[in-house]
Amino acid sequence: NNLIMIFFVNKSDIKLSFKLKNIKLLFRHGKHIFVTASVNRLKIHLDKIMINILFSNIFIAFYTKGKQLVEVGPNLLISIVKNILFSYLSIIQSNKYKQKNVINLTTFFLMRIFAFVYIIIFLYSHEVILILLGEKWVDASYIIKMLSILNY
């Protein structure tokens, strides 16, 4: 969005040109990133593809909603910890021993919190779905129970 805004504000100053030589150079250096990103996308969506092949579209909806609910807490916690952890690790970057201890303690701490969150989700999945999604999604509670065990 910002690039588009700059382009419209400074129309006369910006010229876009593509040279085949530069594109080949970018592709040569970026092909590993492209392949990695493609494999990662396939991995992310492979479970949905398999569910669609083996079952039906309704199971994909239950699975997707269940997966979203199971991942809300850990994703929020991870984003908070990453923002704090990376800034602190940059401060202590010269002390490798201290960095290793901080990473180990953070991992240990997160594993305990995730275990607690996943146990709560497993035990109260039916109620969580009723409160957050409503009665039509109650069948997703079994998927949430499975995902809460598999995600840990």
Side-chain angles (χ1 to χ4, degrees), residues 62 125-126 129-130 133-142:
F62 289 143
S125 63
H126 185 78
I129 286 185
L130 284 176
L133 299 175
E135 190 143 343
K136 68 179 182 177
W137 294 98
V138 170
D139 291 337
S141 65
Y142 301 111

Side-chain angles (χ1 to χ4, degrees), residues 29-45:
H29 292 293
K31 66 183 171 190
H32 300 294
I33 295 171
F34 173 75
V35 170
T36 304
S38 299
V39 169
N40 190 32
R41 279 284 166 207
L42 180 64
K43 181 188 72 93
I44 289 170
H45 296 292

Side-chain angles (χ1 to χ4, degrees), residues 2-116:
N2 292 337
L3 184 60
I4 293 170
M5 181 65 102
I6 289 172
F7 181 74
F8 282 114
V9 171
N10 301 316
K11 288 181 192 174
S12 61
D13 296 342
I14 297 175
K15 294 179 182 165
L16 298 176
S17 66
F18 296 101
K19 295 181 182 175
L20 187 59
K21 179 182 173 186
N22 292 339
I23 293 173
K24 286 180 181 179
L25 181 68
L26 284 174
F27 182 72
R28 192 171 349 131
H29 292 293
K31 66 183 171 190
H32 300 294
I33 295 171
F34 173 75
V35 170
T36 304
S38 299
V39 169
N40 190 32
R41 279 284 166 207
L42 180 64
K43 181 188 72 93
I44 289 170
H45 296 292
L46 185 64
D47 51 355
K48 295 177 190 103
I49 294 168
M50 293 303 295
I51 290 171
N52 192 27
I53 291 170
L54 297 174
F55 301 105
S56 67
N57 290 339
I58 192 71
F59 285 106
I60 293 174
F62 289 143
Y63 176 78
T64 304
K65 284 297 182 185
K67 191 172 183 178
Q68 288 172 351
L69 285 176
V70 168
E71 293 176 347
V72 165
N75 286 343
L76 178 65
L77 190 61
I78 285 173
S79 67
I80 292 169
V81 168
K82 279 196 310 190
N83 289 334
I84 296 169
L85 182 66
F86 289 146
S87 63
Y88 184 67
L89 287 176
S90 68
I91 293 170
I92 61 168
Q93 64 184 335
S94 61
N95 189 345
K96 299 294 181 192
Y97 179 74
K98 194 170 185 179
Q99 276 187 334
K100 185 177 177 182
N101 282 341
V102 167
I103 291 171
N104 287 338
L105 285 172
T106 304
T107 304
F108 181 73
F109 174 72
L110 286 176
M111 287 181 65
R112 295 230 172 183
I113 289 177
F114 289 161
F116 177 73

